[in-house]
Amino acid sequence: MSWAIVKLGDVAELSNGINFGKEAYTKGIKLISVSNFGNRFSPEYDSLEEIKDDVIRESDLLHNGDIIFVRSNGNKELIGRCMLIKDLPEKVTYSGFCIRARLKDTTKNDPVFWTYHFKNQAFRKAMSGTAIGANIQNLSQGRLSAYEAMVPDIDSQRRIAEILSTYDNLIENNQKQIKLLEEAAQRLYKEWFVDLRFPGYEDMKIIDGVPGRWKKVDLTKIAPIVTGKKDANFGIASGKYLFFTCAQEPIKAPSYSFDCDAVILAGNGDFNVKLYRGQFEAYQRTYVFSPHNSDNLYLLYYAVKDSMLQLVQGASGSTIKFLTKRMLEEILVFVPDEDILICFNHNCEAFQKKIEALKIQISLAQEARDRLLPKLMIGEIEV
C-alpha cells in the first residue's frame, strides 16, 4: 500500500450551497440543509424539504459522488459533518449553510473512502478547531481547500471503503426495518383512533365523534408541555447522554436534565417526533411531553405524530416554520376504555421492543466502525 500527502483543493472542486428567502419553500426541488445530516452516511431523500425550481441553477444541483459538509452552525461540534450523495432519486440541491466537494478524478480518488476520511474524528477536530465566527461558527472553502491528508492508492482506498461500508450497510438495513415498524404502529393508531375501526367498534355507539366509554381530551390533560433548556453548544462528541435537538438525529451531551418516558417534538425545522425512555438532554427549541400516566405514552406519541401534518400547514393553509405552545395545547387525544388501551399498548410495546433492539444493534455497529475507522485511515491496519 502506497501513501501520499494530498491537498483537498488539488483533488476536489468546492462550492457553497444556495441562499434564498422563506418564500422559496414550496413544491419543487429537494433541499439538503444542516438538520438533515445527523450521523447519516447518505441523505434520507424522503425527509427533505423542497424549494422553488426557479431559485436553482443547474450548477446548484448535486451529482452522485458529491460530498457535502456542514459549513455553518451555532454548534461548533457540527462543523465539518458530511454526507455522501449516492443513489439520487431526483434533482436535489443544498443550502448555503453547506459546502459541496466534487472529486475531479474518481479513478484516483474514491468518494466513499473520502467520505469515511472526513468522518474520522481527526478531520472533524481539525475543522471545528479552525472554524471562525462569533455567534455562528463557519467553515470556509479556503480552509477546506488547504486541508492536507495522507491517503493510500486507489485500490487501497476501495478496500478500506468496502470494509467500513459493511458496518454502514448493516446500519442502513436496520434503519429501514425501524421505519417499517414505525409505519406499522402508525397505521394501527390510524385504524383504531382516527378511522375508529378498533376491536368491537361495531357494537359501540359513537356520539359526537367519540365512542362510548371513551374520552377526547386536550394534550395538556395527558402530559405537561415542557421545553428543553440547553443551547446547541451544550452538545459534545464525547457526551454520555442523548441530546435531542431539532435535527432528525440526536447528538450527545455530558449530562442530562430529563429521566422519564417522553415524546420529544422538534419545535422548528421538519418537526420530527421521537419517543425515548431514559435519561436525556433537550435543546431549548424542542418540546418534551412526559405523560402523567405512563399507560398513555403510546397514545400521546402517535396522537402527536398524527397531528403534525395538520399543525405545520396551519389553520389557514400557510406553512409555518415553528410551533408554539398554544398550537400544541389544541392537540386532542382519544383515551379509550381500559380493554382497548391494554390491547393497543401490548401491540405498540411489541413494535417498540423490536425498534429498541435494532437501535442497540445500530449503536454497536457504529461503535465498531468508529474504532476501526481511525486505524484504517493511518494505515495501522493493513488491507
Side-chain angles (χ1 to χ4, degrees):
M1 189 185 336
S2 59
W3 293 71
I5 296 176
V6 174
K7 183 180 290 187
L8 185 57
D10 293 336
V11 299
E13 297 173 349
L14 302 169
S15 177
N16 286 1
I18 63 170
N19 295 305
F20 51 89
K22 292 182 179 179
E23 69 282 356
Y25 283 101
T26 185
K27 287 292 182 182
I29 292 177
K30 291 195 170 182
L31 171 79
I32 293 174
S33 56
V34 172
S35 64
N36 302 121
F37 278 72
N39 289 315
R40 291 185 178 86
F41 189 79
S42 292
E44 187 179 273
Y45 298 109
D46 290 344
S47 67
L48 301 180
E49 290 188 288
E50 298 181 22
I51 58 173
K52 293 178 182 177
D53 298 52
D54 57 12
V55 302
I56 310 286
R57 302 165 300 179
E58 189 67 27
S59 60
D60 297 322
L61 296 175
L62 293 165
H63 298 173
N64 285 319
D66 286 347
I67 303 167
I68 54 173
F69 299 87
V70 174
R71 180 185 71 82
S72 179
N73 192 265
N75 183 359
K76 191 175 178 180
E77 287 287 335
L78 300 182
I79 300 300
R81 280 196 177 189
C82 69
M83 290 192 296
L84 173 67
I85 303 302
K86 64 175 185 175
D87 303 325
L88 277 169
E90 55 190 291
K91 291 181 178 180
V92 180
T93 189
Y94 58 111
S95 81
F97 295 102
C98 306
I99 294 179
R100 180 197 70 202
R102 180 171 293 164
L103 294 170
K104 298 174 183 178
D105 186 352
T106 54
T107 65
K108 296 180 180 178
N109 290 284
D110 180 63
V112 180
F113 167 84
W114 275 96
T115 304
Y116 280 118
H117 178 91
F118 297 138
K119 285 184 174 293
N120 190 11
Q121 281 300 313
F123 171 79
R124 293 289 312 286
K125 288 178 180 177
M127 292 302 100
S128 63
T130 57
I132 59 173
N135 295 322
I136 297 178
Q137 308 297 323
N138 293 285
L139 176 65
S140 68
Q141 288 186 42
R143 290 178 182 275
L144 267 178
S145 182
Y147 173 73
E148 292 185 341
M150 181 74 76
V151 297
D153 56 85
I154 184 63
D155 290 337
S156 298
Q157 288 181 35
R158 289 170 178 160
R159 286 195 295 271
I160 290 171
E162 184 178 2
I163 292 168
L164 293 169
S165 292
T166 301
Y167 295 94
D168 278 295
N169 290 339
L170 173 62
I171 291 167
E172 184 178 352
N173 182 56
N174 284 355
Q175 288 170 335
K176 288 178 180 177
Q177 291 184 59
I178 288 171
K179 186 175 181 180
L180 291 173
L181 288 165
E182 289 175 338
E183 289 173 350
Q186 193 70 40
R187 283 196 302 271
L188 179 69
Y189 175 84
K190 182 178 184 301
E191 181 182 354
W192 287 21
F193 297 95
V194 178
D195 301 333
L196 298 181
R197 293 296 187 264
F198 49 87
Y201 75 93
E202 303 94 337
D203 302 320
M204 189 175 289
K205 289 184 178 181
I206 297 179
I207 302 171
D208 295 330
V210 181
R213 303 195 304 275
W214 287 32
K215 294 182 293 183
K216 195 173 188 179
V217 302
D218 298 342
L219 180 146
T220 53
K221 297 289 196 302
I222 303 294
I225 298 176
V226 178
T227 59
K229 303 300 180 185
K230 298 296 190 291
D231 65 27
N233 281 318
F234 190 71
I236 58 171
S238 59
K240 180 180 178 182
Y241 304 96
L242 290 185
F243 181 15
F244 292 95
T245 66
C246 291
Q248 280 283 347
E249 297 294 327
I251 54 178
K252 294 292 185 73
S255 61
Y256 65 91
S257 297
F258 299 89
D259 186 2
C260 57
D261 297 348
V263 177
I264 303 163
L265 168 63
N268 59 19
D270 63 2
F271 307 110
N272 61 83
V273 187
K274 295 181 174 65
L275 185 153
Y276 189 74
R277 304 191 281 198
Q279 299 167 334
F280 64 93
E281 193 53 82
Y283 177 53
Q284 57 197 7
R285 294 179 185 172
T286 62
Y287 292 96
V288 178
F289 314 124
S290 182
H292 301 297
N293 181 347
S294 60
D295 289 343
N296 292 328
L297 177 66
Y298 292 119
L299 283 178
L300 177 64
Y301 176 52
Y302 292 108
V304 172
K305 287 189 74 173
D306 191 66
S307 300
M308 279 304 98
L309 179 60
Q310 182 179 351
L311 267 176
V312 300
Q313 292 302 320
S316 64
S318 59
T319 301
I320 60 172
K321 290 303 171 189
F322 61 90
L323 297 172
T324 66
K325 184 178 179 181
R326 184 174 179 179
M327 293 176 185
L328 302 178
E329 289 172 343
E330 295 176 356
I331 294 177
L332 298 176
V333 182
F334 270 124
V335 180
D337 59 72
E338 185 177 1
D339 290 343
I340 294 296
L341 181 59
I342 289 172
C343 188
F344 180 68
N345 283 344
H346 175 77
N347 282 287
C348 288
E349 184 66 16
F351 288 128
Q352 188 63 23
K353 283 185 176 178
K354 290 178 181 177
I355 288 170
E356 290 176 355
L358 288 166
K359 286 183 176 180
I360 290 172
Q361 290 181 27
I362 288 173
S363 180
L364 292 173
Q366 289 172 336
E367 290 173 6
R369 178 203 61 199
D370 292 345
R371 285 195 301 269
L372 193 58
L373 177 57
K375 296 179 181 179
L376 287 168
M377 288 301 157
I378 62 173
E380 184 176 324
I381 299 176
E382 191 73 25
V383 297

